Amino acid sequence: MKLLIIGGVAGGMSAATRARRLDEKADIVVFEKGRHVSFATCGLPYFIGRTIRRRSNLLVRTPERLRSRSNLDVRVLNEVTAIDRERKEATVRDRETNRTYAESYDKLILAPGAKPVIPPLPGVDDPAVHTLQDADDMDRIDDAVEAAPGGRAVIIGGSFIGLEMADNLMNRGLHVALAEMLPYVMAPLDPEMAEPIHRHLREKGVELFLDNAARAIERHSGAPVVVLQDGTALQCDLVVLCVGVRPRTRLALEAGLDIGRTGGIKVDEHLRTSDADIYAVGDAIEVTDYVTGQPTLMAMAGPASRQGRIAADNVCGRRTAFRGVQGTGIVKVFDLSVANTGASEKTLRRLKMPYEKVYVHPASHAGYYPGAADMTIKLLFSTEDGRVLGAQIVAADGVDKRIDVLSTAIQARMTVYDLEEVELAYAPPYGATNDPINVAGFVAANHLRSDMDVIHADQIGDDTIVLDVRTPGEFAGGHIPAAVHIHVDDLRQRLDDVPDGKPLAVICASGYRSYLACRILTQEGFKAANVIGGYSTHRQFHPEPMGGDGTA
């Protein structure tokens, strides 16, 4: 068998090495139009920020190493320009010599990846404007940073890569402004979950322009200037576009392969295209969302690598199926970690899937052990059977462990009742006797069992009677206007002071003390609903204005 693989990064190289392990006799050729294969693309921002100091550390494998260890014919700077399905040939251009040649195949795997979205802005072709996709892009940005010590960078787009770039460019001593067309950064999140990120970015000195897209890139007195929709002009030394990616489908289109409704290459569960001898993997393909069952695009290295392995299995005669994607991701934003998995609330609402949500704010590990950080966890689950549908977490510590547990729960189709019982490792430096995962399960299961009525922070209106059961000091530090204050420890003695005759929204800092208060009140004949996530969550929906120095 002769196998051609087009694309030599995550999906392509995973397919190539897996195919070799399964078939020692196969003739395997990998074409990569860039200079490098197996390049650690996710590490690019961290080299720019000098967290990763040696460029060579990003070269996971060289063509020479792949040839000697896996007997792969890896051809860098060789671009496949066309596929002739009838003749089963690929047309290849050697970019160093400009020579064009044909290469035959029995099976072919497409792994062309995705390309950065370049918005149609006036001036977007200015040499000071960059995207970040490969090592050459990284080197150009690195040179621009070197040439502008203490200067200013403007990032257009608050995506994962945009936030990573903000962190790393500031680590290099640049001033950073970030402009995002949406009212919040990190589009996979729900808006309120981005609010702690906004606060943190501003505290770190990032100039944040939300709901304010770039309108043009101009030159004023020789310097680049990004002009925003509201007329704000941001003079700078370099601009980085981080507004998303689109699947590379030109080869597939010109070869007559089917394209899905999302714009990605259409494949079946075995990652086979509409041509039985051609498979496709990675950022270029349309995949199925594991939670919603809907077609989607997912430009992430993890799924691409697993898809490469599965495609190789099928090419070599093993019938292996790809389950789909759920979009599990995590990003470092200065001192915060931000992660998500599964469906967001806005997706569930759009698809009219029955769901409920809870917010919890537990400590990342035992509170008496130094370094515990408050976590913000949003858990989404089915109202029909309690199945976990999605989660989002923002915190300074403990995020990766919890999002991976919840990602696994989604894969296993576990319920919030399972989360109550899941047994996780505990020692004071790492967790608590009731892990944050258990806590989220307790709150969600209490809700489904109707152990308490609930009201969400975004449902509190001006006519809602709010009972705040925090301490006097907490109440004085900020509260909902017109809230009635009775500390939970005084509640039994002050029942006569509780407003009667109307439903109460009972609130504390995070939802636990208000839950206790609700249990007291409902058994005393009051109609009381617990504000899930408490005042901490209310602040996410109603952020306090920031001062010029970044303080509330």
Side-chain angles (χ1 to χ4, degrees):
M1 178 186 68
K2 185 174 183 180
L3 171 63
L4 302 189
I5 298 174
I6 301 173
V9 191
M13 290 315 307
S14 173
T17 53
R18 175 66 171 174
R20 173 56 71 222
R21 292 194 297 273
L22 295 177
D23 189 343
E24 181 62 24
K25 302 299 183 183
D27 183 6
I28 303 172
V29 186
V30 180
F31 300 100
E32 169 54 48
K33 70 176 182 178
R35 297 178 183 276
H36 305 286
V37 290
S38 290
F39 201 86
T41 306
C42 297
L44 300 179
Y46 298 98
F47 175 77
I48 293 170
R50 292 297 186 266
T51 300
I52 297 170
R53 294 189 172 274
R54 297 180 57 185
R55 189 179 185 280
S56 59
N57 288 347
L58 297 174
L59 291 167
V60 181
R61 296 183 184 91
T62 64
E64 294 75 23
R65 173 78 177 273
L66 289 162
R67 183 183 298 276
S68 63
R69 173 159 294 183
S70 299
N71 191 26
L72 299 175
D73 182 359
V74 179
R75 305 178 192 177
V76 296
L77 293 173
N78 274 245
E79 180 180 6
V80 175
T81 58
I83 299 168
D84 187 327
R85 291 166 53 198
E86 288 189 6
R87 300 181 64 177
K88 300 187 76 169
E89 281 186 350
T91 301
V92 187
R93 181 173 70 89
D94 186 323
R95 297 180 65 192
E96 284 191 301
T97 65
N98 209 30
R99 178 178 70 93
T100 298
Y101 62 97
E103 195 74 42
S104 64
Y105 67 85
D106 298 307
K107 301 288 185 182
L108 186 147
I109 297 176
L110 282 166
K115 56 186 176 183
V117 173
I118 309 295
L121 302 176
V124 76
D125 55 351
D126 190 291
V129 177
H130 304 271
T131 58
L132 181 59
Q133 187 181 38
D134 56 28
D136 291 337
D137 292 338
M138 179 188 75
D139 292 338
R140 282 188 286 268
I141 294 174
D142 192 57
D143 290 343
V145 172
E146 284 287 325
R152 189 197 218 182
V154 174
I155 298 169
I156 299 176
S159 60
F160 277 62
I161 187 70
L163 297 179
E164 288 176 334
M165 285 302 300
D167 187 341
N168 284 283
L169 289 174
M170 289 195 76
N171 198 44
R172 288 287 295 275
L174 268 65
H175 303 280
V176 172
L178 189 152
E180 167 57 52
M181 67 181 296
L182 294 175
Y184 60 98
V185 299
M186 287 190 65
L189 298 185
D190 291 316
E192 77 280 6
M193 291 299 290
E195 182 52 37
I197 309 171
H198 300 162
R199 180 174 293 272
H200 191 63
L201 289 168
R202 290 176 175 127
E203 288 171 350
K204 290 297 183 180
V206 175
E207 301 172 81
L208 195 56
F209 299 89
L210 300 174
D211 205 11
N212 205 356
R215 189 174 71 196
I217 299 162
E218 302 174 352
R219 285 272 173 172
H220 295 179
S221 302
V225 174
V226 178
V227 181
L228 304 183
Q229 289 292 344
D230 68 355
T232 300
L234 302 171
Q235 185 170 321
C236 59
D237 297 281
L238 68 148
V239 180
V240 186
L241 296 176
C242 302
V243 296
V245 295
R246 289 196 182 102
R248 295 183 186 272
T249 57
R250 182 189 61 82
L251 275 176
L253 275 167
E254 293 178 356
L257 299 177
D258 290 350
I259 303 297
R261 70 187 197 207
T262 64
I265 301 169
K266 193 172 183 60
V267 295
D268 64 13
E269 63 178 350
H270 305 294
L271 302 173
R272 184 172 46 211
T273 70
S274 52
D275 185 314
D277 293 319
I278 299 178
Y279 293 75
V281 301
D283 300 354
I285 69 171
E286 178 179 273
V287 288
T288 300
D289 187 301
Y290 186 73
V291 175
T292 68
Q294 299 295 306
T296 189
L297 299 172
M298 189 62 63
M300 300 181 77
S305 181
R306 294 193 299 279
Q307 290 161 13
R309 177 185 175 93
I310 290 169
D313 277 2
N314 286 285
V315 163
C316 295
R318 296 189 177 189
R319 288 186 61 79
T320 308
F322 181 62
R323 292 185 185 180
V325 298
Q326 60 194 65
T328 305
I330 189 167
V331 62
K332 175 185 175 295
V333 185
F334 295 96
D335 300 329
L336 289 181
S337 296
V338 183
N340 68 294
T341 187
S344 64
E345 182 178 3
K346 56 181 179 280
T347 296
L348 295 172
R349 189 185 300 124
R350 174 173 54 84
L351 296 175
K352 295 181 172 56
M353 294 179 65
Y355 76 94
E356 190 47 278
K357 61 182 178 179
V358 295
Y359 302 85
V360 294
H361 302 274
S364 58
H365 58 251
Y368 58 82
Y369 188 89
D374 288 338
M375 309 186 77
T376 295
I377 301 177
K378 179 177 184 177
L379 180 68
L380 296 144
F381 51 95
S382 169
T383 53
E384 296 178 336
D385 57 9
R387 183 165 65 93
V388 180
L389 301 176
Q392 299 163 35
I393 309 178
V394 182
D397 183 54
V399 172
D400 52 344
K401 169 182 175 178
R402 277 60 184 226
I403 204 68
D404 284 344
V405 171
L406 291 168
S407 174
T408 303
I410 291 172
Q411 278 283 315
R413 301 195 179 279
M414 293 169 64
T415 69
V416 297
Y417 308 113
D418 295 316
L419 298 187
E420 290 184 290
E421 300 295 335
V422 69
E423 183 175 325
L424 301 174
Y426 162 60
Y430 304 109
T433 50
N434 286 323
D435 190 85
I437 296 295
N438 300 127
V439 173
F442 295 154
V443 176
N446 282 346
H447 182 16
L448 288 182
R449 293 189 185 107
S450 300
D451 286 351
M452 60 179 176
D453 290 333
V454 304
I455 183 171
H456 292 293
D458 54 337
Q459 297 172 334
I460 296 175
D462 294 338
D463 57 346
T464 304
I465 298 177
V466 177
L467 176 62
D468 194 316
V469 298
R470 295 176 296 159
T471 65
E474 289 174 292
F475 187 79
H479 58 267
I480 297 173
V484 176
H485 177 245
I486 303 175
H487 186 221
V488 64
D489 291 348
D490 301 329
L491 185 58
R492 289 183 178 90
Q493 291 74 43
R494 294 185 57 189
L495 289 173
D496 289 343
D497 297 329
V498 177
D500 197 4
K502 290 186 178 181
L504 300 170
V506 187
I507 194 167
C508 67
S510 62
Y512 177 65
R513 287 172 292 174
S514 54
Y515 166 61
L516 299 179
C518 282
R519 298 303 300 159
I520 295 170
L521 290 167
T522 54
Q523 292 177 75
E524 292 290 346
F526 293 90
K527 185 170 179 56
N530 187 16
V531 179
I532 294 292
Y535 192 66
S536 297
T537 298
H538 186 270
R539 285 186 64 196
Q540 292 172 230
F541 286 100
H542 305 279
E544 296 171 0
M546 300 290 288
D549 60 355
T551 60

